[in-house]
Amino acid sequence: MILPDPEKPIRLNVKYDKDACFLAGGVFTDFMVSVISEDDSIIKNINPARISMKMWKLVSSMNRPPANAETFSCNKIKDNDKEDGCFYFRDKVIPNKVGTYCIQFGFMMDKTNVLSSEQVCLLSLYILINFTFFSYLVLAENSPGRDSTEYFIVFEPRLPSLSRTLEPYILPFMFYNDVKKQQQMAALTKEKDQLSKSIVMYRSLFDASKQLLDEIKCQVEEAKLKEAQLRNELKAHNIDIPVTQQIPHIEALLKRKMSEQEELKKKPRRSCTLPNYTKGSGDVLGKIAHLAQIEDDRAAMVISWHLASDMDCVVTLTTDAARRIYDETQGRQQVLPLDSIYKKTLPDWKRPLPHFRNGKLYFKPIGDPVFARDLLTFPDNIEHCETVFGMLLGDTIILDNLDAANHYRKEVVKITHCPTLLTRDGDRIRSNGKFGGLQNKAPPMDKLRGMVFGAPVPKQCLILGEQIDLLQQYRSAVCKLGSVNEDLNGQLEYLHTPDMKKKKQELDEQEKSLKLIEQKLGMTPTRKCNDSLRHSTKVEMTDCPIPPKRMRRETTRQNR
């Protein structure tokens, strides 16, 4: 039975208030995103930097985000966020322009693959009130009404194409019988409107500053996570970076390790001196002697001798390429096209040695047996090379010496067929059991005339390469962390500058002034007006006589 992988991501789960109203220029409702695995559980311990939100205006039936889609990062987790493994997108600003917008969340699985959520399409709408038009909306003389009473004009949008109902816009106004009082109240109303506009501007400034601060804090957290991750990886390589003077220390380490790596690369090592075939096209892999490398000198000698008749053969991907080389060399060059190999008979590279039966040790071998193919490393074209050497070597096994090989064969044939055995001393026991004679004894290395597999780069050189790469990544992470910390400190300092403190003080004073003016006007505070009327859409008119048709009504419903 195949079990689901709890660490394999298959989809993104997005939760949000689907009944929320999205007004242009406002703020989106909170989005909560989680990565779901094959067993339908939430995958935890995911770097928040790998989760993103894209938004773009829908202009056609395009089902993929355009290149200029706006991208948002998730917000920092709050203490009261209960669900572990969830990422939150809060306080994201809705575009100012009316239209249908698409939102899609993505999880970066690796450098090239992104797991995307289903697209969320939203309608962003606002009602534009033209006050120039309303300057002509006046009450006729002697219109009935209660003196010093607040009335409301209610605008209800009726849009047949819209599937849901939009809440009305409510415009409050005061009714006065006395002309002088009307003038005083008009002046107060004008002052109130100016204060309201100024307060909106101040609040927009502070909201934008807070959003920028939150974004920078999120970047700082991401940079800290990356720095800590790379620091732990360096510790696994026994490299400790001091807390202070990090960059100079990293630079010195890099210089020393790059110098060590260069010295190792310069050291002489075994190489194949057989001229390789000039690759005329991508269909030519090269000569067999150049496709693999072997670290151990003794194993390299005997395996190279065992494959001596094949070392000069050119491997191609196609029979057409092989034929072209054959024609160019008048048939003198050996060629091997991969598309002519019957792959079903190739050995399984994961198969255990024959002294194991059903996962158990049948007998205890001597001489350190190992499949000859497992001693090969391939610099390039690994899959194709496994096909070539799987065919050439099959299940050939290499051991220390002839005594170990004879003991191994004697025990293996009791339970199964024994493949060809090679020894590190240069002996060969064929699969039919024959050994001895010049045909089954490898000559010394210098007699092979350079037709030997080369040695790979020393393992220490590869380890140094990994360490150098980690150090370079860590240096970038430290620089990034320093940069975003500077941005954070700069933003915090900006928010505490005398100018910003003065603006905050001005906002507080204007809000107090607005409250006083609204009290003088006897009006419901602006921000509470719409909320109160949502619970009571009827306007009380019982004490007022019905006005003539030529007069404006205290409550007017207008389609927009």
Side-chain angles (χ1 to χ4, degrees), residues 270 272 287-295 303-304 307 311 373 375-380 385 389 393 452-456:
R270 177 180 9 96
C272 178
K287 291 186 177 180
I288 286 174
H290 291 275
L291 297 182
Q293 296 173 335
I294 302 175
E295 185 177 7
I303 294 175
S304 299
L307 297 178
M311 296 289 273
R373 61 176 181 257
L375 299 176
L376 306 176
T377 57
F378 308 118
D380 301 298
C385 288
F389 288 95
L393 289 172
V452 294
F453 291 106

Side-chain angles (χ1 to χ4, degrees), residues 58-262:
L58 190 64
V59 294
S60 64
S61 59
M62 174 175 31
N63 57 3
R64 295 183 62 185
N68 61 346
E70 192 170 0
T71 304
F72 301 91
S73 301
C74 64
N75 295 77
K76 184 179 177 181
I77 301 294
K78 293 182 179 179
D79 294 336
N80 59 350
D81 291 335
K82 298 179 181 179
E83 295 195 41
D84 191 16
C86 293
F87 303 90
Y88 296 84
F89 292 81
R90 299 184 174 96
D91 304 323
K92 305 305 180 187
V93 178
I94 300 173
N96 287 322
K97 294 185 177 180
V98 175
T100 302
Y101 289 83
C102 278
I103 291 177
Q104 189 169 45
F105 298 89
F107 168 56
M108 182 69 70
M109 295 194 291
D110 51 45
K111 292 182 179 180
T112 56
N113 296 311
V114 177
L115 180 64
S116 298
S117 70
E118 293 184 359
Q119 292 178 0
V120 180
C121 290
L122 307 169
L123 182 65
S124 174
L125 178 69
Y126 69 93
I127 300 175
L128 178 64
I129 300 191
N130 189 337
F131 284 99
T132 304
F133 169 77
F134 284 110
S135 63
Y136 298 100
L137 184 61
V138 296
L139 294 177
E141 288 186 26
N142 300 320
S143 292
R146 187 186 300 169
D147 185 38
S148 301
T149 300
E150 184 179 18
Y151 289 85
F152 304 93
I153 301 178
V154 181
F155 300 88
E156 284 188 341
R158 294 179 182 174
L159 304 173
S161 60
L162 195 61
S163 59
R164 61 186 177 87
T165 304
L166 292 178
E167 294 180 353
Y169 178 80
I170 300 163
L171 179 66
F173 71 96
M174 297 298 295
F175 180 85
Y176 302 101
N177 284 333
D178 183 76
V179 175
K180 185 176 181 181
K181 194 173 183 180
Q182 286 179 3
Q183 292 174 347
Q184 292 173 346
M185 294 301 114
L188 283 174
T189 302
K190 184 177 180 182
E191 186 179 354
K192 168 185 168 291
D193 293 342
Q194 291 173 346
L195 280 173
S196 298
K197 290 179 182 177
S198 179
I199 288 171
V200 168
M201 292 177 64
Y202 274 125
R203 284 179 180 166
S204 297
L205 171 65
F206 288 118
D207 288 346
S209 298
K210 181 182 179 299
Q211 184 175 352
L212 177 59
L213 182 64
D214 291 341
E215 292 289 342
I216 296 175
K217 284 181 178 179
C218 185
Q219 291 176 13
V220 169
E221 290 302 314
E222 291 171 3
K224 284 181 179 178
L225 285 172
K226 184 67 174 177
E227 186 270 345
Q229 174 195 342
L230 291 170
R231 177 185 285 273
N232 289 333
E233 290 186 34
L234 286 170
K235 283 183 179 179
H237 285 264
N238 297 317
I239 299 175
D240 286 318
I241 306 295
V243 178
T244 59
Q245 299 293 315
Q246 289 182 313
I247 297 298
H249 185 81
I250 294 170
E251 294 292 352
L253 269 177
L254 277 171
K255 185 177 180 181
R256 176 162 60 83
K257 291 190 177 292
M258 291 172 79
S259 177
E260 290 177 17
Q261 187 186 48
E262 196 61 31

Side-chain angles (χ1 to χ4, degrees), residues 262-280:
E262 196 61 31
E263 288 298 320
L264 283 173
K265 287 181 178 179
K266 288 180 181 178
K267 284 186 177 180
R269 65 179 188 270
R270 177 180 9 96
S271 62
C272 178
T273 60
L274 184 70
N276 202 354
Y277 188 83
T278 304
K279 298 180 181 180

